[in-house]
């Protein structure tokens, strides 16, 4: 079994790992922009970059877990997500969870995707 890792700078973790045709990826907003809308846009753009670098993309997403610092912000997440995710053929199984995140971080997204 081959494992390909895409390290993240200095945090002891990878932004993506590929094994047996499956991509495991995580993204946050690298700039920690102000507000959930901006952080969601930046996080999802970062996620797209990571998935494409790993050999997948939006159409390859199987499952997504969205961690929100304030789960009451889910409608704002959804407004950005629906534009970003595209047609129904791209829609993964998705869950949203309210959690404590690092200072300034309002959203973190973890996905499982297949290579395309």
């Amino acid at each position: 079994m081959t494992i390909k890792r895409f390290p993240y700078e200095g945090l002891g973790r990878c932004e993506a790992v590929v094994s047996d045709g499956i991509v495991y990826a995580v993204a946050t907003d690298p700039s920690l922009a102000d507000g959930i809308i901006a952080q969601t846009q930046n996080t999802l753009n970062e996620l797209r970059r990571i998935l494409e670098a790993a050999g997948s993309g939006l159409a390859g997403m199987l499952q997504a877990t969205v961690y929100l610092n304030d789960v009451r912000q889910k409608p704002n997440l959804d407004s950005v997500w629906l534009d970003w995710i595209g047609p129904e053929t791209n829609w993964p199984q998705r869950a949203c969870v309210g959690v404590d995140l690092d200072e300034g971080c309002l959203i973190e997204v973890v996905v499982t995707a297949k290579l395309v």
Side-chain angles (χ1 to χ4, degrees), residues 21-81:
I22 302 294
V23 178
Y24 305 89
V26 60
T28 58
D29 175 4
S31 68
L32 296 179
D34 288 335
I36 189 65
I37 297 288
Q39 279 203 24
T40 300
Q41 291 167 334
N42 293 343
T43 298
L44 295 178
N45 288 335
E46 183 73 358
L47 182 60
R48 181 192 315 256
R49 179 195 65 76
I50 292 166
L51 287 171
E52 289 174 357
S56 187
L58 300 185
M61 288 199 326
L62 303 171
Q63 187 275 334
T65 303
V66 179
Y67 298 97
L68 294 169
N69 192 46
D70 180 355
V71 77
R72 294 172 296 181
Q73 293 295 323
K74 186 178 177 293
N76 290 318
L77 155 76
D78 287 338
S79 70
V80 176
W81 177 276

